Amino acid sequence: MNVTLSVIKADIGGYVGHSSTHPDILSLAEESMAKAKIDGMLIDYHVTNCGDDLQLIMTHKLGEDNDRIHKMAWDTFEAGTKLARTLKLHGAGQDLLADSFSGNVKGMGPGVAEMEIEEREAETVLIFMADKTAAGAWNMPLYKMFADPFNTIGLVIAANMHAGFAFEMHDVKEHKKIVFKAPEEIYDMLVFAGAPGRYAVKAVYTRESREISAVSSTQRLSLMAGRYVGKDDPVCIVRAQGQFPAVGEVLEPFTTPHIVEGWMRGSHNGPLMPVSVAQANPSRFDGPPRVICLGFQIADGRLVGPRDMFDDPAFDECRRQAGWAADYLRKHGPFEPHRLPLDEMEYTTLPQVMRKLEGRFEEI
Ligand code: F6R
Ligand code: MG
Ligand code: MG
């Protein structure tokens, strides 16, 4: 049976500040999804939040980029924005960049990751959702999951993974894409994957049957809006087990709290801390950046779950490391590399300061 898994998310108002989502917003989204399920549009759904980002996880038979699904998500975000305004939540409607819906939420502010799959005998999926970070945050974990044998031993010893995976990489500034084959092209691929501000892994496929293995949201809000409007706070869907990495191989990259952009005012680098849903309320210096992971078995489109995958004391040590790295970076205050490099600050006050001081720069 073919089923489409759609994860569509937006920050439509923070509670308190940008730290979390108000329970009434979650209830509103829950009601909207329940109605779409009764109407037969959705097979199943799960509503959650990662910090101030409202996450709509949906299964249906309508395929990717479906206008009815996208419109229903958009309408949910609009209704949520109205409620956010009455509660005077912070930044109500922040990610809704367009005034009205026009066919597809892509390019309109919300983040989207969708995959149409032929459901396997047992269909294991893991959905990653992040707050206070940007689209390229998945590059390192996806590389480790699908190309690094030190992370994923299945690449070496599982016959159905040994051929490797193909990575579709997007240039988010020039709107171009390229596909790299792992393992033979990993050195070329890392030239780009290692620059996550510009290049983001959009999808991963199995080499032999071209089966979709992972897909991420690559929308860059600042590039869409031409100004700083909040961070992308991306999502990523990964299939696990069988011809894909095992659940533990998919989660393993997050034991290193790698440094990502998006902390405080979207202008700082910080460690990506894997946490349970209950702990995804970034408050220290508006962070540090968080990632949550919900696991499901999909049964005829039904979302059996979720399991809160980072709710495991085995991740305590890396949370401690993230705390340590956060302390260390914070000591740099307004200095790089805690603060983002100048060219990443162009959507902030930098151009205004440059204009103000224009006449005062003298030749040396
Ligand atoms: C980071 C983030 C926050 C805000 C900060 C200022 O991605 O969302 O750090 O940038 O709290 O928020 P505003 O400008 O909305 O007052
Ligand atoms: Mg926000
Ligand atoms: Mg957010």
Side-chain angles (χ1 to χ4, degrees):
M1 156 178 174
N2 269 31
V3 59
T4 305
L5 177 57
S6 298
V7 183
I8 306 185
K9 49 82 43 186
D11 176 348
I12 54 166
Y15 165 71
V16 169
H18 291 276
S19 67
S20 194
T21 301
H22 194 281
D24 291 357
I25 297 284
L26 292 169
S27 306
L28 177 144
E30 191 80 38
E31 276 168 34
S32 166
M33 297 288 106
K35 188 175 168 299
K37 187 173 168 179
I38 291 166
D39 291 349
M41 199 192 311
L42 294 183
I43 304 174
D44 208 355
Y45 68 87
H46 180 77
V47 173
T48 190
N49 70 295
C50 182
D52 57 5
D53 291 273
L54 175 62
Q55 310 280 349
L56 310 177
I57 300 169
M58 302 169 277
T59 52
H60 54 89
K61 305 277 290 174
L62 300 173
E64 295 166 22
D65 284 328
N66 180 270
D67 54 352
R68 285 177 62 206
I69 297 293
H70 280 229
K71 180 165 191 324
M72 190 258 298
W74 179 266
D75 289 346
T76 304
F77 293 141
E78 273 202 326
T81 297
K82 270 196 198 123
L83 175 59
R85 291 211 168 100
T86 66
L87 294 168
K88 289 203 169 192
L89 298 183
H90 186 70
Q94 175 180 291
D95 285 358
L96 306 190
L97 301 181
D99 294 331
S100 59
F101 181 74
S102 62
N104 193 303
V105 294
K106 276 184 192 154
M108 298 176 73
V112 191
E114 297 185 292
M115 57 162 73
E116 184 171 358
I117 54 174
E118 188 171 344
E119 219 179 85
R120 293 171 291 163
E121 180 87 9
E123 186 59 60
T124 306
V125 296
L126 298 173
I127 300 174
F128 293 94
M129 295 157 270
D131 189 29
K132 309 290 178 260
T133 188
W138 310 122
N139 284 10
M140 194 198 281
L142 286 172
Y143 174 80
K144 287 185 175 175
M145 284 173 216
F146 290 99
D148 178 7
F150 277 74
N151 180 89
T152 299
I153 186 60
L155 295 167
V156 180
I157 62 175
N160 55 2
M161 287 177 70
H162 203 75
F165 290 87
F167 288 70
E168 180 182 318
M169 183 93 65
H170 284 198
D171 177 340
V172 296
K173 287 198 176 135
E174 295 290 327
H175 303 289
K176 288 184 178 151
K177 64 178 179 181
I178 180 169
V179 176
F180 291 104
K181 297 186 194 108
E184 60 269 41
E185 295 184 317
I186 56 169
Y187 296 163
D188 288 346
M189 176 163 88
L190 283 171
V191 171
F192 302 97
R198 167 111 186 228
Y199 298 94
V201 177
K202 176 68 193 173
V204 182
Y205 297 88
T206 58
R207 284 287 291 284
E208 275 163 358
S209 48
R210 291 282 296 165
E211 259 187 290
I212 184 75
S213 316
V215 67
S216 75
S217 62
T218 47
Q219 289 79 5
R220 295 234 47 188
L221 270 175
S222 59
L223 298 178
M224 280 185 234
R227 65 192 153 87
Y228 177 69
V229 279
K231 230 39 196 182
D232 314 326
D233 301 337
V235 293
C236 182
I237 307 171
V238 183
R239 297 171 84 184
Q241 306 295 144
Q243 67 273 49
F244 307 113
V247 165
E249 290 168 333
V250 174
L251 298 176
E252 187 66 7
F254 296 93
T255 56
T256 298
H258 68 293
I259 300 297
V260 296
E261 66 169 86
W263 196 358
M264 182 51 89
R265 297 180 182 275
S267 304
H268 291 79
N269 286 310
L272 186 64
M273 183 188 264
V275 291
S276 64
V277 175
Q279 291 182 322
N281 308 298
S283 52
R284 180 194 171 177
F285 198 57
D286 288 358
R290 299 302 150 101
V291 55
I292 59 171
C293 177
L294 293 185
F296 297 92
Q297 295 295 139
I298 302 185
D300 301 320
R302 212 153 33 92
L303 288 164
V304 180
R307 273 225 58 243
D308 189 346
M309 303 309 289
F310 289 134
D311 184 10
D312 176 353
F315 287 96
D316 285 350
E317 186 50 38
C318 100
R319 289 189 268 267
R320 257 193 301 275
Q321 272 179 32
W324 185 91
D327 275 342
Y328 177 71
L329 280 167
R330 279 300 302 127
K331 290 185 205 301
H332 293 73
F335 284 77
E336 299 175 10
H338 184 26
R339 203 188 73 182
L340 296 191
L342 273 188
D343 58 332
E344 295 283 332
M345 303 282 289
E346 57 197 299
Y347 299 108
T348 61
T349 46
L350 172 72
Q352 293 158 35
V353 176
M354 284 308 255
R355 260 195 308 279
K356 190 180 76 182
L357 301 179
E358 220 166 53
R360 287 178 46 194
F361 278 99
E362 295 170 28
E363 294 298 331
I364 304 170

